[in-house]
Amino acid sequence: GAVVSQHPSRVICKSGTSVKIECRSLDFQATTMFWYRQFPKKSLMLMATSNEGSKATYEQGVEKDKFLINHASLTLSTLTVTSAHPEDSSFYICSARLSGQGDYGYTFGSGTRLTVV
Amino acid sequence: SQQGEEDPQALSIQEGENATMNCSYKTSINNLQWYRQNSGRGLVHLILIRSNEREKHSGRLRVTLDTSKKSSSLLITASRAADTASYFCATDRESYIPTFGRGTSLIVHP
């Protein structure tokens, strides 16, 4: 089945530094990937839709200069948290959908726990 | 904004009992999906029900959909301790972007 690999699973960084999170579709091509942020005991908040070869579409209230998304190939999307601050600490999850697989929903990465100290 | 809202927020049962979770949504949908999330992990797709379907089964899972009430339910029969997780419903907005509710935290006591 469709597999999405997300890396790293955990990262601790200092305030002011940037962190890159990778999301790869391993056995399928994903023209569209989604990035979510999840706070403890909260729902997943859609941050942006990543489109291969074009600019990402950001949800209202998400700073595009803060959360840089690049979808340079059909199998890789990256989220870079720039100049990270402690309030950016969260669980970030990517997902993709295998086109044509109508009954399989979306495939999610295993998530990245970001802690900014 | 949230589209799906699960109810209850938390559910605690004994192994062997059935667990029922509900999801309500606000706008019309293409389909509704249920996902499971173990603590600190990504989401795992459980089942998808289309807007023209009323009930669907997958193993110990039974999902119903009532589009007139804009609600869905997930039933887990004969629960096991390994079913302990958070369960989310998601609906496809326009352009097939999934929107999630807050989830139901299920604890199954052995």
Side-chain angles (χ1 to χ4, degrees), chain A residues 28-48:
Chain A
F28 67 102
Q29 293 182 334
T31 56
T32 303
M33 291 186 177
F34 305 96
W35 287 96
Y36 292 85
R37 180 174 180 174
Q38 185 179 34
F39 294 97
K41 298 186 178 180
K42 296 289 186 182
S43 180
L44 282 75
M45 181 192 79
L46 179 66
M47 298 175 66

Side-chain angles (χ1 to χ4, degrees), chain B:
Chain B
S1 61
Q2 302 294 336
Q3 164 71 313
E5 289 293 338
E6 293 88 348
D7 170 64
Q9 290 188 13
L11 183 59
S12 180
I13 60 175
Q14 294 294 129
E15 209 168 27
E17 294 180 340
N18 296 341
T20 300
M21 291 159 260
N22 302 298
C23 170
S24 59
Y25 56 93
K26 298 175 183 176
T27 64
S28 60
I29 59 173
N30 298 310
N31 60 62
L32 187 143
Q33 305 148 44
W34 284 92
Y35 291 83
R36 167 195 169 126
Q37 183 184 34
N38 287 74
S39 180
R41 305 289 294 179
L43 276 72
V44 175
H45 177 250
L46 295 176
I47 196 166
L48 180 152
I49 186 165
R50 299 184 182 281
S51 59
N52 62 352
E53 296 176 310
R54 292 296 167 260
E55 187 171 313
K56 203 163 184 179
H57 297 255
S58 177
R60 294 184 295 113
L61 306 180
R62 173 177 169 254
V63 169
T64 63
L65 179 65
D66 187 335
T67 54
S68 65
K69 296 181 179 178
K70 292 187 169 58
S71 68
S72 173
S73 68
L74 170 66
L75 168 67
I76 304 174
T77 60
S79 63
R80 305 166 181 167
D83 294 329
T84 295
S86 291
Y87 292 83
F88 293 88
C89 67
T91 55
D92 274 3
R93 283 165 25 188
E94 293 180 1
S95 304
Y96 298 97
I97 300 174
T99 307
F100 289 84
R102 298 184 188 278
T104 292
S105 176
L106 172 66
I107 298 176
V108 181
H109 300 280

